[in-house]
Amino acid sequence: MIETAAAIARRVRTGEAKAEIIISHVLEKIAAENESLNAFLHVSSEEALAAARSVDRLVANGEDPGPLAGVPIALKDNIHVQGLPTTCGSKILGDYRAPYDSTVALRLKKAGALIVGKTNLDEFAMGSSTENSAFGPSRNPRDKSRVPGGSSGGSAAAVAAGLVPLALGSDTGGSIRQPASFCGVVGLKPTYGSVSRYGLTAFGSSLDQIGPLAQTVEDAELCWRVIAGHDPRDSTSAPGAPPEAEEGGVAGLTVGLPEEYFQEGLDPAVETIVRNAVEGLQKRGANVKKISLPHTRFSLSVYYIIAPCEASSNLSRFDGVRFGHRASQSAALESLYANSRGEGFGAEVKRRIMLGTYALSAGYYDAYYRKAQRVRSLIKKDFDRAFAEVDVIATPTAPTTAFKLGEKTKDPLMMYLSDVYTLSCNLAGHAGISVPCGNAPDGLPVGLQLMAAAGREPTLFRAARAVGTPS
Amino acid sequence: MSSEISEKETRKVAALARLALSDEEIALHRGQLARILDHVAELNSLDVSNTPETTHVLGLVNVLRDDEPELSASAAAIRESAPAFGNGHFKVPKVVE
């Protein structure tokens, strides 16, 4: 364990602790433990130390060092930090270094946070285990023979191992929440558009959101408040400032339990723990209500059309011309593109580019992409109906606990199913959070997923804070 | 229903995607594409002819702002990222004879 971000910031802001000493401990711990976890792909020791000294100087001068003063944070390696590598877990980016800061990196730096490095991920955030990383899988700190989940597996592992109190991930179909569940930490996917995507390597542009992974709900909220809010550099960014915090617990909130999330495919041990957690919310004064999200079973199909279509378009920029890997010995421009991409991309990325290109090609667009965008409206309507009756929806985050390395790599569809409970939240654009709610009999952590309507993060935090606390 | 994708069609998709794939990869993708398409065919059981598409979940349209110049990434950093650069241009193989 490591101190919470809130506690570190409090101590650094009052001058009780020095940011430089905190960061030195963190860097030592990463150096000692990263080899067995492979959570970090790059550690930015010098930059973090310099940032820590500048925080300490501000405090010494009586200036406000920001709400995350002295808090070490790791960023998933698809988020740009000026001067640091961005690999996206891919060979195709070669030795690329980000020429500019993402909006989230800028806001973190301004808030006094110390960016300590870049974390491992499934290549271009496509996967559920980090086994698709070109730089080897990360391992789950709770059991190193198991995956940490993905695609933000490096970020989840770094927080779970106590290397950092906070990390950022990105979530296109569950890539923050599922690894949070597997590693026993908190993971927030904010409302679509709540956090700027500027400087995040685009995967599925209508689905992607950056969000925090943390040890506590309070830390996740603290971090979200720093990175959220309108950004003119992201045209899909929601207007206005993030909504104001809500006081109070879960008492008085209505929690919906959708029957479709408790059917075939759900591990009985996970189900028991999740149902107990919901009972716990009820004991604390929540009104629990059975609801239905009837189109849930189509979310996997809708997602695996929309996300690959958007990915195939977004990834066309990796062509070996302006940055990244270039194949040698290409006689013509066309073969330079094809060879660079053929050499640079891994199997899962190729699979999704192929699927997306097929679905968008002449004659198939209506049957696949347009159709999926229409079924997406039905899924969204299900949520609209549910959120007219309930404040928060509670489900398991994942159908199982963390699986073994290699267990699902042979069958893409099996792997895709580990995101089955998180996909629809992205398709509908709502906010979702995974909170640890207990351990299965084998000792592995289980996450409770809570979802709230777009823009209602403050309500989501109220419910999330109550998970696992004494009634 | 079982989807069947020919080798020729798989190669065409790879060409459209600008992906050089080995024969083994073509065979692998051919099978996996078909399997995924089989799964997503379940959407055909829904009548959505009168359902609008969701293009943006928040319903934002025509997001415009003033075009004000500001500092962005330096030209030098962008040049340094390029695999081949010269005379102010990204260099590529000859495209016209």
Side-chain angles (χ1 to χ4, degrees):
Chain A
M1 282 294 278
I2 183 168
E3 244 185 315
T4 64
I8 292 173
R10 196 162 47 236
R11 295 206 299 124
V12 169
R13 288 171 59 84
T14 56
E16 193 187 319
K18 285 261 181 283
E20 189 174 348
I21 293 178
I22 290 166
I23 200 70
S24 303
H25 284 311
V26 161
L27 292 171
E28 271 169 36
K29 196 152 189 222
I30 294 172
E33 294 184 27
N34 192 51
E35 201 182 319
S36 67
L37 291 170
N38 199 27
F40 282 87
L41 294 177
H42 178 79
V43 181
S44 46
S45 314
E46 279 174 38
E47 293 87 347
L49 275 164
R53 286 184 198 117
S54 118
V55 164
D56 289 336
R57 251 193 322 271
L58 286 175
V59 175
N61 293 342
E63 290 171 64
D64 185 353
L68 289 175
V71 176
I73 186 166
L75 267 58
K76 186 177 183 178
D77 204 16
N78 58 353
I79 301 173
H80 276 34
V81 180
Q82 189 171 3
L84 301 190
T86 304
T87 67
C88 293
S90 181
K91 281 192 294 186
I92 205 163
L93 271 152
D95 54 6
Y96 177 79
R97 280 179 185 260
Y100 64 94
D101 268 326
S102 55
T103 295
V104 290
L106 261 182
R107 290 186 179 177
L108 287 171
K109 287 176 179 177
K110 275 197 190 133
L114 315 174
I115 297 172
V116 295
K118 309 294 296 291
T119 53
N120 199 9
L121 67 160
D122 287 294
E123 187 177 4
F124 287 102
M126 298 177 189
S128 313
S129 68
T130 73
E131 290 166 297
N132 296 332
S133 169
F135 307 105
S138 297
R139 287 169 186 271
N140 192 320
R142 300 286 290 259
D143 176 348
K144 286 182 185 163
S145 69
R146 292 177 188 272
V147 301
S151 64
S152 312
S155 289
V159 173
L163 304 182
V164 281
L166 272 183
L168 292 188
S170 65
D171 191 315
T172 306
S175 277
I176 290 172
R177 290 159 289 158
Q178 184 257 24
S181 174
F182 279 14
C183 291
V185 299
V186 174
L188 170 73
K189 183 207 87 74
T191 301
Y192 181 77
S194 155
V195 177
S196 170
R197 297 188 293 113
Y198 180 77
L200 167 72
T201 304
F203 160 16
S205 301
S206 76
L207 306 157
D208 296 340
Q209 256 302 277
I210 295 173
L213 293 107
Q215 301 173 98
T216 64
V217 175
E218 287 78 4
D219 278 3
E221 180 168 8
L222 179 66
C223 182
W224 172 74
R225 289 220 162 266
V226 166
I227 59 174
H230 182 71
D231 179 15
R233 286 175 166 168
D234 173 3
S235 63
T236 59
S237 166
E244 294 208 10
E246 283 177 25
E247 295 300 317
V250 75
L253 295 182
T254 305
V255 176
L257 219 50
E259 55 179 337
E260 292 81 5
Y261 285 69
F262 293 89
Q263 291 170 357
E264 205 194 323
L266 175 60
D267 180 337
V270 172
E271 176 168 2
T272 304
I273 292 161
V274 166
R275 285 195 187 275
N276 284 345
V278 174
E279 231 168 79
L281 294 179
Q282 198 165 14
K283 278 186 195 148
R284 276 164 216 116
N287 173 23
V288 176
K289 191 171 176 178
K290 277 191 187 151
I291 58 165
S292 173
L293 298 168
H295 295 92
T296 298
R297 74 179 187 90
F298 298 106
S299 58
L300 189 75
S301 291
V302 170
Y303 180 85
Y304 278 99
I305 294 170
I306 292 174
C309 283
E310 296 183 0
S312 72
S313 168
N314 278 324
L315 268 55
S316 63
R317 72 190 55 163
F318 298 97
D319 56 7
V321 174
R322 289 155 303 150
F323 45 74
H325 172 74
R326 171 180 288 198
S328 53
Q329 317 268 333
S330 297
L333 188 58
E334 191 95 347
S335 57
L336 173 89
Y337 296 150
N339 292 338
S340 300
R341 291 161 64 80
E343 289 175 13
F345 289 135
E348 182 62 30
V349 174
K350 286 177 180 168
R351 183 154 46 243
R352 299 211 196 176
I353 290 174
M354 288 291 285
L355 182 57
T357 304
Y358 178 86
L360 289 175
S361 63
Y364 294 110
Y365 181 85
D366 283 347
Y368 292 105
Y369 191 69
R370 196 186 298 275
K371 177 125 201 173
Q373 288 284 53
R374 288 180 171 182
V375 180
R376 182 180 190 174
S377 301
L378 298 179
I379 292 169
K380 198 163 175 284
K381 217 174 261 174
D382 285 354
F383 276 101
D384 290 346
R385 247 181 247 124
F387 283 132
E389 293 177 42
V390 303
D391 298 297
V392 170
I393 295 172
T395 76
T397 304
T400 65
T401 53
F403 45 87
K404 294 257 185 198
L405 285 148
E407 197 178 318
K408 300 192 181 192
T409 40
K410 294 229 163 52
D411 186 346
L413 265 173
M414 276 294 289
M415 188 68 96
Y416 296 171
L417 277 168
S418 64
D419 292 328
V420 69
Y421 298 142
T422 46
L423 300 169
S424 57
C425 185
N426 298 74
L427 290 169
H430 297 302
I433 193 167
S434 178
V435 189
C437 65
N439 292 333
D442 56 9
L444 293 169
V446 172
L448 173 71
Q449 175 176 238
L450 296 169
M451 295 181 270
R456 290 200 65 193
E457 276 86 351
T459 311
L460 190 65
F461 295 134
R462 268 176 68 190
R465 279 196 296 263
V467 178
T469 57
S471 50
Chain B
M1 186 186 127
S2 185
S3 305
E4 180 67 36
I5 297 172
S6 67
E7 187 191 320
K8 194 178 154 201
E9 203 170 6
T10 311
R11 288 191 188 279
K12 188 186 144 205
V13 175
L16 287 171
R18 305 287 186 269
L19 273 178
L21 298 179
S22 66
D23 291 345
E24 293 78 35
E25 283 179 307
I26 289 286
L28 182 75
H29 284 293
R30 192 182 158 194
Q32 288 179 338
L33 263 180
R35 207 173 150 232
I36 296 167
L37 293 173
D38 268 347
H39 185 89
V40 303
E42 67 175 9
L43 297 185
N44 293 328
S45 67
L46 293 167
D47 177 13
V48 285
S49 46
N50 294 315
T51 308
E53 296 158 49
T54 295
T55 48
H56 188 285
V57 287
L58 303 179
L60 296 183
V61 279
N62 292 346
V63 177
L64 302 172
R65 64 173 167 89
D66 291 335
D67 186 18
E68 288 166 356
E70 57 172 314
L71 240 59
S72 62
S74 79
I78 287 167
R79 259 195 319 269
E80 278 163 26
S81 301
F85 197 90
N87 296 327
H89 300 281
F90 296 105
K91 288 167 85 171
V92 294
K94 207 169 178 179
V95 281
V96 275
E97 287 305 321

